[in-house]
Amino acid sequence: RMRVLHYDLSDLAAFGGVHYDTMRDHIRRSPWTWPKEEREGVCEALGLKPIQTVEGAPTEDYRA
């Protein structure tokens, strides 16, 4: 999505309100580990809506 929108890491850093070096570190990790405000700024700029969900396993398929 970055390439399609012609953004680079310095753009993402600005959207997230962080230094370029911080974004270089962030981009190597899951966005869920980023501070919330930084993740939301980048996702908004990229047109993404972050949704984190957990789905329960059916009881008949669950093995303890």
Side-chain angles (χ1 to χ4, degrees):
R1 191 170 288 251
M2 281 176 49
R3 288 185 177 99
V4 169
L5 296 172
H6 305 287
Y7 293 147
D8 59 20
L9 284 182
S10 62
D11 295 319
L12 295 188
F15 299 142
V18 298
H19 191 272
Y20 174 78
D21 292 334
T22 302
M23 185 52 63
R24 285 184 61 203
D25 180 55
H26 282 353
I27 204 70
R28 292 180 172 91
R29 297 183 289 121
S30 167
W32 294 114
T33 65
W34 303 3
K36 182 180 178 183
E37 297 79 22
E38 295 168 20
R39 179 179 59 246
E40 288 177 350
V42 171
C43 287
E44 182 180 341
L46 294 175
L48 301 173
K49 181 179 178 184
I51 299 173
Q52 191 171 31
T53 63
V54 175
E55 184 175 331
T59 55
E60 63 272 5
D61 293 337
Y62 180 75
R63 296 190 181 144

